[in-house]
Amino acid sequence: MTRVVVLVRRFPLVAVTIAIGVVAGVLVATGLEPAARWVISLYALTIAAVEAVRMIRGLLSKQFGLDILAVTAIVSTIVVGEYWASLLIVLMLTGGEALEVAAVGRAQRELRSLLDRVPQLAHRIEANGDVVEVPAHEVRVGDRLLVRPAEIVPVDAELASALGGFDESSLTGESLPVDKVAGDAVLSGSVNGPVAVEVVATALAADSQYQRIVELVREAASSKAPLVRLADRYALPFTAVSLGIAGLAWALSGDPVRFAEVLVVATPCPLLIAAPVAFMGGMSSAAKRGIVMKNAGSLEKLARARTVAFDKTGTLTVGRPEVVGAHAEAGFTESELVQLVGSAERYSSHVLAESLQRAAGDRGLPLLESRDAREVPAHGVIATITGRVVVVGKPAFVAEHAPDVVAHPGASGEAVIYAAIDGRFAGVVVLRDAVRTDAADTLAALRALGVTRTLMVTGDIAATAEPIAAGLGITDVNAECLPDDKVRIIRELQPRPVVMVGDGVNDAPVLAVADVGIAMGAKGSTAASESADVVILIDDLARVARAIAIGQRTVRIALQSIWLGIAISIALMLVAAVGLLPAIAGAALQEVVDLIAIVGALRAVRAGAAPVPGLDAPLAGPRTRTGPVPVAVGVTGTGPVTGDG
């Protein structure tokens, strides 16, 4: 009973229409058929008047819709005495809205699942060891939190326990638990495994990854795609054909009932429902795979994308330089060089410092302490470590402390770090970034999806950018671009629509002006994510191709559903035109057509499940995978990085 009340409150017009039908049925059963006719006719004309007002408003705003068919069908059935058919048409219109709401609810399930899982509480460990339950928004950076088994991590944090396992499926789409060790980042919204762990908050709730995802999803859920009104493109010809068939049937038969019978099956509900349901399904499917469409209109543009432009650093490349070699001079060992350089770089704020420290850790070399380390901005670091004076930085800076420095020019795209120990040149450490392992496959997939032009737009110098592009088969390279240059290039690009993929703060303006801006949001800047139309929550470049594939499949399903509705409606109109389909039967069949259109549109919920050519299925012909390609970090030594990637 409670469920019935909820449904009545949610869909009052459907309830009123059914009630009118029950009342009219009772009147007919008691011999008051004229009263039943008047009750139904007055109610149906009232609904027709409401639809007519909506139609006129649409015409005034230069939007020609399909409302005229519904209004004409209701009025004509009443005029010819088919009042039960008019009631069924009204039920179809009101019930169609209910079906659309239910279908959109199904299509939005993945979007809603994110919203429903917003962490509300946190268990804070006080200084005395007590555990206090506090609202998640009261957690401060540095707070130590207890996350119990199967609980949602409330804020972005760092794992303090030795080991932990987390389910990140709601964030990344990865179904397998992710094992982490002490010091690893733990994302808010991930679910803890079977063992309680302690974490240290690294961000406020409002600034945490999951809250940013929720805000993106809220934007997505409230947006409407241009193709939601795709049916209106067919409104004028469909209306003309429907009225033409109805008029011809009346003229040839001489029976005005034929006119009404044809228009009954020409009502436009399938066309009005199919597109919005398909688009919400496509957005839901994308969200499930870690791709948040902030505006549903992006799906339509992605489906037609013909040009894709990429930033370089952090987009086509890993964006994290790695040590690829250490060359020690006589009297020093490679391990000694890497350990002391990494230890000295603990006291540096330079972008390469983390990579140099990580290199020592990867080799099992502990980082050593220094009590007098100091950084010389734009030059390097000087530190006394285990009684030895270590100088790390640019060659000229190191040469001031070790006259025997020997030049080690790096290959294109390499950064060379010089080091001196106790006044002697100790050697160099070489760093290099690498192309993402999925970059080549992503570009192949884009070509298979119909993208005719790919290019690189980067702030790095040409000597850095061109080897990367050449290794990936990109011949169109725009290097040394300032943010304004990127905006100008994207605005002038052809063919359109143009998709821009980036991850940095400097990419925010160009992501905003592209037809579709895609931000690599897993490690990229908040500014880039906020200005983009699509945010990829997983550090996976291949999701760019998946996003385009989902857009293409969603639009294809929407169009298929619309054409299916048109084809079935025209077929029923032709049957009605020859007198084989009574008005009341035609109205009932239209409900079946509604269901067929909705079921067809709901296929978009699985738009992301089908394989993507070039990623999940082999392409025809030979294909080679591009391995790591040198990427300039823009510096020799530890000076400032040139270019913005």
Side-chain angles (χ1 to χ4, degrees):
M1 187 64 184
T2 304
R3 183 175 179 83
V4 173
V5 172
V6 171
L7 290 174
V8 169
R9 289 179 177 174
R10 194 175 182 187
F11 308 113
L13 277 180
V14 177
V16 171
T17 303
I18 294 173
I20 291 290
V22 172
V23 170
V26 172
L27 291 173
V28 171
T30 56
L32 298 174
E33 191 271 342
R37 182 186 302 116
W38 277 105
V39 169
I40 291 177
S41 298
L42 288 174
Y43 175 68
L45 287 173
T46 301
I47 297 298
V50 173
E51 291 294 322
V53 170
R54 185 184 301 177
M55 175 185 69
I56 293 170
R57 286 176 178 171
L59 292 174
L60 291 176
S61 61
K62 298 181 181 180
Q63 292 181 345
F64 185 87
L66 293 156
D67 313 80
I68 188 172
L69 287 177
V71 173
T72 306
I74 291 172
V75 173
S76 62
T77 49
I78 291 174
V79 169
V80 299
E82 294 282 354
Y83 60 94
W84 282 110
S86 67
L87 185 65
L88 279 177
I89 295 172
V90 172
L91 180 62
M92 179 185 61
L93 289 173
T94 57
E97 293 179 2
L99 288 172
E100 180 180 355
V101 170
V104 168
R106 164 72 174 87
Q108 287 182 307
R109 184 175 61 188
E110 298 299 337
L111 299 181
R112 288 201 318 273
S113 69
L114 290 175
L115 299 177
D116 293 341
R117 288 163 47 84
V118 177
Q120 302 293 334
L121 298 173
H123 304 291
R124 186 168 60 200
I125 303 174
E126 302 295 332
N128 60 6
D130 292 342
V131 178
V132 180
E133 189 174 87
V134 297
H137 66 266
E138 292 185 4
V139 174
R140 296 293 175 258
V141 175
D143 282 355
R144 197 173 186 90
L145 307 175
L146 175 67
V147 184
R148 292 170 177 156
E151 276 191 343
I152 297 175
V153 180
V155 297
D156 287 355
E158 182 180 283
L159 184 62
S161 300
L163 297 170
F166 299 88
D167 176 3
E168 298 182 347
S169 59
S170 64
L171 300 171
T172 66
E174 172 57 57
S175 58
L176 297 176
V178 179
D179 293 327
K180 295 181 181 291
V181 298
D184 283 351
V186 181
L187 296 178
S188 61
S190 55
V191 180
N192 186 28
V195 178
V197 296
E198 293 184 12
V199 299
V200 177
T202 57
L204 302 177
D207 300 327
S208 291
Q209 175 76 4
Y210 198 75
Q211 190 61 42
R212 293 201 297 268
I213 294 171
V214 167
E215 290 306 315
L216 294 176
V217 171
R218 283 201 178 107
E219 290 180 40
S222 62
S223 68
K224 277 194 173 183
L227 275 191
V228 167
R229 294 196 61 86
L230 179 61
D232 287 353
R233 300 182 187 180
Y234 304 94
L236 185 59
F238 184 73
T239 300
V241 169
S242 302
L243 292 175
I245 294 175
L248 187 62
W250 185 359
L252 293 178
S253 66
D255 184 0
V257 174
R258 294 283 181 88
F259 183 85
E261 290 173 344
V262 171
L263 290 187
V264 164
V265 293
T267 48
C269 282
L271 307 190
L272 298 176
I273 293 172
V277 170
F279 271 81
M280 292 312 302
M283 291 172 64
S284 175
S285 181
K288 186 176 182 179
R289 287 156 181 83
I291 306 167
V292 175
M293 307 279 180
K294 294 167 63 176
N295 186 312
S298 301
L299 278 169
E300 191 265 349
K301 293 177 183 177
L302 284 171
R304 298 185 292 110
R306 291 296 173 267
T307 301
V308 179
F310 293 92
D311 177 42
K312 181 185 70 64
T313 305
T315 303
L316 287 174
T317 68
V318 176
R320 190 177 69 174
E322 300 286 349
V323 171
V324 295
H327 306 288
E329 294 293 303
F332 302 95
T333 66
E334 178 182 316
S335 296
E336 180 183 24
L337 174 65
V338 172
Q339 183 180 34
L340 291 176
V341 167
S343 299
E345 287 294 321
R346 295 177 66 184
Y347 307 97
S348 171
S349 60
H350 189 263
V351 67
L352 299 180
E354 182 184 350
S355 298
L356 293 167
Q357 295 172 59
R358 190 169 55 249
D362 291 343
R363 289 165 170 77
L365 304 171
L367 296 179
L368 307 173
E369 297 286 342
S370 172
R371 296 187 180 276
D372 64 350
R374 63 185 178 91
E375 181 177 19
V376 181
H379 291 85
V381 178
I382 302 175
T384 302
I385 301 172
T386 62
R388 309 174 75 181
V389 178
V390 180
V391 181
V392 180
K394 289 183 175 181
F397 175 66
V398 174
E400 295 176 4
H401 303 270
D404 59 337
V405 165
V406 178
H408 281 257
S412 175
E414 290 182 342
V416 181
I417 308 299
Y418 287 70
I421 300 174
D422 290 335
R424 291 178 53 207
F425 178 49
V428 298
V429 178
V430 181
L431 298 97
R432 185 171 61 199
D433 200 352
V435 170
R436 289 177 180 268
T437 56
D438 55 358
D441 285 346
T442 299
L443 291 168
L446 290 175
R447 289 190 291 271
L449 290 167
V451 173
T452 57
R453 184 179 182 186
T454 54
L455 66 157
M456 180 189 291
V457 182
T458 178
D460 276 349
I461 61 174
T464 294
E466 288 174 355
I468 298 294
L472 292 171
I474 298 176
T475 57
D476 194 344
V477 180
N478 296 268
E480 301 178 48
C481 296
L482 297 174
D484 287 349
D485 298 324
K486 292 184 178 183
V487 168
R488 174 183 52 77
I489 291 168
I490 294 301
R491 279 179 172 162
E492 296 173 356
L493 274 178
Q494 295 292 334
R496 305 196 80 88
V498 173
V499 176
M500 176 69 197
V501 187
D503 76 323
V505 173
N506 63 300
D507 294 322
V510 70
L511 292 176
V513 302
D515 295 319
V516 181
I518 299 181
M520 301 294 293
K523 294 192 295 184
S525 75
T526 302
S529 297
E530 288 178 351
S531 64
D533 303 293
V534 179
V535 179
I536 295 176
L537 304 175
I538 306 164
D539 192 26
D540 178 12
L541 187 65
R543 303 291 165 124
V544 173
R546 293 191 188 282
I548 291 176
I550 289 172
Q552 291 180 352
R553 290 170 187 146
T554 299
V555 171
R556 185 163 59 246
I557 287 169
L559 289 171
Q560 288 171 351
S561 300
I562 287 172
W563 278 110
L564 180 64
I566 290 176
I568 295 176
S569 293
I570 290 177
L572 292 176
M573 279 189 276
L574 294 175
V575 173
V578 296
L580 298 178
L581 190 61
I584 190 169
L589 281 175
Q590 270 301 116
E591 291 290 352
V592 177
V593 177
D594 285 358
L595 288 172
I596 292 173
I598 289 173
V599 171
L602 278 174
R603 290 179 297 139
V605 172
R606 294 184 54 78
V612 178
L615 294 178
D616 306 315
L619 293 171
R623 192 178 96 213
T624 59
R625 175 183 287 273
T626 303
V629 179
V631 178
V633 185
V635 58
T636 300
T638 58
V641 175
T642 59
D644 53 17

